[in-house]
């Protein structure tokens, strides 16, 4: 089990990596691609960015543990690290509702609130 300091450190690294528009878009695209992932070329085309710029952003996401890459023939396939994403979301919501079960319900257009808050 990770210590609180380690969880905090991991959260800071993840949030820092996502705090840039191109990296956030790339991560969301990889989440959308699911376990199959995407090659950098396909991802660059989807996002409309140059492959060299995307390479830099993917490296930052990988350093934060949010994505992984695996060789597949001549190509690399990048995948979102769903375990790290879930750990980050869990860390951020760990103390929501003072430990009570939290049920998010729609409130007005496009906004949600916790039913217990």
């Amino acid at each position: 089990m990770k210590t609180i300091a380690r969880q905090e450190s991991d959260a800071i690294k993840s949030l820092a990596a996502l705090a840039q528009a191109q990296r956030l878009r790339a991560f969301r695209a990889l989440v959308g691609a699911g376990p199959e992932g995407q090659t950098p070329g396909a991802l660059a085309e989807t996002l409309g960015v140059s492959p060299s710029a995307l390479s830099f952003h993917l490296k930052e996401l990988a350093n934060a543990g949010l994505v992984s890459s695996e060789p597949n023939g001549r190509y690399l396939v990048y995948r979102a690290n769903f375990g790290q994403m879930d750990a980050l979301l869990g860390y951020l919501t760990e103390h929501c509702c003072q430990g009570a079960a939290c049920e998010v319900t729609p409130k007005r257009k496009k906004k949600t609130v916790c039913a217990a808050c």
Side-chain angles (χ1 to χ4, degrees), residues 58-99:
L58 289 172
K59 183 184 89 170
E60 291 298 312
L61 290 169
N63 286 339
L66 290 167
V67 302
S68 62
S69 64
E70 178 181 25
N72 186 1
R74 294 177 29 196
Y75 303 100
L76 283 176
V77 175
Y78 281 85
R79 294 179 179 88
N81 181 342
F82 292 100
Q84 180 70 13
M85 181 182 76
D86 288 343
L88 175 60
L89 293 173
Y91 175 79
L92 292 173
T93 60
E94 183 176 17
H95 298 291
C96 177
C97 304
Q98 300 172 356

Side-chain angles (χ1 to χ4, degrees), residues 14-114:
S14 294
L15 291 170
L18 293 172
Q20 199 281 341
Q22 290 297 329
R23 286 194 288 270
L24 180 60
R25 289 181 192 125
F27 181 70
R28 291 188 71 208
L30 290 172
V31 168
E36 293 80 29
Q38 281 192 319
T39 63
L43 191 56
E45 188 175 315
T46 298
L47 298 173
V49 299
S50 72
S52 60
L54 181 62
S55 176
F56 169 77
H57 294 306
L58 289 172
K59 183 184 89 170
E60 291 298 312
L61 290 169
N63 286 339
L66 290 167
V67 302
S68 62
S69 64
E70 178 181 25
N72 186 1
R74 294 177 29 196
Y75 303 100
L76 283 176
V77 175
Y78 281 85
R79 294 179 179 88
N81 181 342
F82 292 100
Q84 180 70 13
M85 181 182 76
D86 288 343
L88 175 60
L89 293 173
Y91 175 79
L92 292 173
T93 60
E94 183 176 17
H95 298 291
C96 177
C97 304
Q98 300 172 356
C102 178
E103 294 181 33
V104 176
T105 57
K107 180 181 179 181
R108 296 190 221 141
K109 293 180 182 178
K110 298 184 183 180
K111 293 195 179 203
T112 57
V113 296
C114 175

